Amino acid sequence: MARSSTPHPLSPSPRRGEGGPKASSSSPLSALRRGGQGVRFRRKLLAWWARAARDLPWRRTRDPYRVLVSEFMLQQTQVSRVAEYYPRFIERFPDLATLANAKPRAVREAWDGLGYYARASNLHALAKSVVGRGVVESGVAEKGVAGDGVATLPDDPEELIKLPGIGRYTAGAVACFAFEKPVPAVDTNVRRVLLRVFFGDDQRLPRQRSTRERNTRERDTRQRLTRQRPIPQRLIWSLAAALVPKDGKRAWKFNQAIMELGALICVARKPKCTQCPVRPNCKTGRRQAPG
């Protein structure tokens, strides 16, 4: 099958004047392309995942609807709370058609207690949209485009991202976790892991400094931070895309594993560096004192 030359929506699009995501010779992306850093990171991460992964109900299925529901619920809500509400919601609305035909009040009642009720409204609107128009499982260029056919979710992120309530992360997550597409899914946890492992704990990139500046010790941390610029989102997504295995089943495990690492070990406050399986490959972890 011929590959399209159109940039994938889950990979950063080139900006005007750019030929694509550019990286300096010392950037993490360049290092991944040159050597085995990504291979070592994936190997250690997947080995840890095999023994430490939590048994969560949405990980036992590849059903697109159930994966979708879990992803909507997990937005800004703790896993333990979602694990309580998810089975009840699925029992009451077992498929897209049932959800689409439900009254808004019924959907709201089933969601009550999870908060952020716009998510429930968006999920309901999505179900109505998909069921109302039908989505063929294979359309033009096998992309799962809208048309007459079975009411199901498309498997292509380009189509998923057009649906109500679905953004860049959710499109990647549903495509990978339901259809085993080898695409990145960068949420808050994944972003934090990538920043700490490949860039260091600081969420910034150093700007180019003059020879005089390079030879002058910075007076304090504040001065150092003022000479830095934020790491662009497109670079984070490019890095994630470069790390995701090309095999769909391994991509599923990798994306689940890196999210799990961010949720359990590489947490926002007080990361557990001494327990981290990728610490030898982590710029931040290597700086932490043992103990």
Side-chain angles (χ1 to χ4, degrees):
M1 185 189 303
R3 290 181 178 272
S4 170
S5 60
T6 304
H8 198 286
L10 300 183
S11 297
S13 301
R15 293 186 176 182
R16 183 171 296 183
E18 296 182 67
K22 294 182 179 179
S24 70
S25 59
S26 60
S27 75
L29 191 54
S30 294
L32 280 182
R33 290 167 176 167
R34 288 196 310 269
Q37 185 180 7
V39 174
R40 292 189 294 272
F41 175 77
R42 282 194 298 267
R43 184 173 63 246
K44 291 179 183 295
L45 179 65
L46 291 173
W48 170 80
W49 158 263
R51 64 178 184 271
R54 290 172 292 180
D55 180 21
L56 301 173
W58 46 89
R59 288 179 177 165
R60 304 177 206 142
T61 182
R62 298 295 188 276
D63 179 83
Y65 169 70
R66 295 186 176 207
V67 170
L68 178 75
V69 170
S70 71
E71 288 300 332
F72 268 69
M73 286 187 170
L74 286 165
Q75 295 169 14
Q76 299 176 302
T77 303
Q78 292 182 344
V79 168
S80 58
R81 195 158 189 82
V82 174
E84 177 186 350
Y85 280 77
Y86 171 83
R88 297 204 297 258
F89 191 92
I90 292 297
E91 184 177 2
R92 188 167 183 179
F93 309 109
D95 51 45
L96 275 170
T98 305
L99 180 60
N101 293 324
K103 301 288 186 181
R105 182 176 179 179
V107 177
R108 171 70 182 250
E109 287 175 352
W111 200 274
D112 192 35
L114 282 173
Y116 299 98
Y117 294 103
R119 295 177 297 171
S121 298
N122 285 333
L123 182 60
H124 195 197
L126 184 155
K128 288 182 176 181
S129 174
V130 174
V131 171
R133 71 187 184 184
V135 176
V136 292
E137 292 183 342
S138 60
V140 178
E142 299 183 358
K143 291 183 67 173
V145 298
D148 296 327
V150 180
T152 185
L153 289 170
D155 63 2
D156 192 304
E158 292 185 19
E159 295 299 315
L160 283 164
I161 207 167
K162 297 175 184 177
L163 297 173
I166 291 191
R168 194 179 190 184
Y169 160 75
T170 305
V174 173
C176 182
F177 299 148
F179 301 103
E180 296 186 349
K181 297 289 183 179
V183 296
V186 180
D187 68 352
T188 303
N189 285 332
V190 173
R191 175 179 169 81
R192 183 168 59 252
V193 170
L194 293 178
L195 286 169
R196 286 175 173 169
V197 171
F198 295 98
F199 296 94
D201 194 33
D202 197 326
Q203 296 191 12
R204 295 172 176 268
L205 281 174
R207 71 167 174 82
Q208 293 296 321
R209 293 182 291 173
S210 67
T211 302
R212 181 176 179 180
E213 284 179 308
R214 288 196 297 269
N215 293 334
T216 301
R217 178 176 298 177
E218 280 134 359
R219 295 179 179 178
D220 54 33
T221 301
R222 180 172 297 177
Q223 285 181 322
R224 176 174 59 82
L225 291 177
T226 60
R227 290 205 274 269
Q228 297 175 336
R229 59 185 174 83
I231 296 172
Q233 281 278 28
R234 67 182 184 279
L235 184 54
I236 297 294
W237 278 85
S238 292
L239 180 60
L243 287 166
V244 173
K246 302 307 177 188
D247 174 75
K249 293 187 183 301
R250 280 176 57 82
W252 186 97
K253 291 179 181 179
F254 174 83
N255 279 328
Q256 291 280 8
I258 195 169
M259 290 179 193
E260 193 83 328
L261 187 70
L264 300 181
I265 303 294
C266 193
V267 293
R269 298 181 181 180
K270 298 183 179 179
K272 305 170 185 177
C273 292
T274 57
Q275 302 175 33
C276 182
V278 301
R279 185 178 184 182
N281 306 103
C282 178
K283 287 189 174 182
T284 302
R286 290 197 301 263
R287 294 201 305 261
Q288 302 300 317

